[in-house]
Amino acid sequence: DVQLQASGGGLVRSGGSLRLSCTASGIRFDDYAMGWFRQAPGKEREGVVSINNSDGTSWYEDSVKGRFTISADNNDNTVYLQMNSLKPEDTAIYFCAAVSAIFGNDWFSAPRNDRFGYWGRGTLVTVSS
């Protein structure tokens, strides 16, 4: 049974930092790409960041480059998202996801078939101005 256990999130002021984590079970960690999507009120879900655990490559959506950092720890099957210099526009529900490394980071950055991936529960990130 595949499970993605997400944690982190919360309320922070503009300019502050938060860290999200996502622990996977039931998959071979190195055979998957993992990352986060987010959905703000009234907006469509969008890919934010991902890392392909098979080759270590990563992808960042333009608006988070230089502020967000994704990392992976294959000792505990966990990926981390360090979010710095947060802005009110980063406010959203963040969803951890995993997909076969065959699809890789492209699955997060381009239109996708959601059924190919595994999803964790959303975690709310609120950035106040």
Side-chain angles (χ1 to χ4, degrees):
D1 216 26
V2 177
Q3 290 190 349
L4 300 180
Q5 184 67 43
S7 63
L11 172 64
V12 66
R13 289 188 176 182
S14 182
S17 299
L18 285 172
R19 190 175 81 157
L20 306 181
S21 63
C22 180
T23 301
S25 59
I27 62 172
R28 190 171 184 275
F29 191 71
D30 289 348
D31 288 342
Y32 280 78
M34 294 179 64
W36 277 267
F37 294 83
R38 67 185 179 187
Q39 187 164 18
K43 294 188 177 181
E44 292 188 355
R45 186 169 54 190
E46 64 174 356
V48 179
V49 60
S50 64
I51 185 167
N52 190 333
N53 294 326
S54 70
D55 61 14
T57 57
S58 59
W59 165 79
Y60 294 87
E61 195 272 326
D62 284 347
S63 70
V64 307
K65 286 179 180 177
R67 301 188 297 120
F68 290 12
T69 303
I70 190 169
S71 60
D73 185 343
N74 57 9
N75 289 321
D76 60 5
N77 285 6
T78 299
V79 291
Y80 299 94
L81 178 59
Q82 179 65 41
M83 304 184 292
N84 298 329
S85 302
L86 282 161
K87 304 175 180 180
E89 51 263 44
D90 295 316
T91 295
I93 299 174
Y94 284 69
F95 297 90
C96 173
V99 70
S100 170
I102 295 174
F103 295 101
N105 294 321
D106 287 347
W107 189 77
F108 292 84
S109 64
R112 77 202 65 79
N113 187 329
D114 287 352
R115 293 179 298 171
F116 291 153
Y118 298 101
W119 296 84
R121 293 181 62 182
T123 183
L124 179 61
V125 171
T126 303
V127 185
S128 64
S129 56

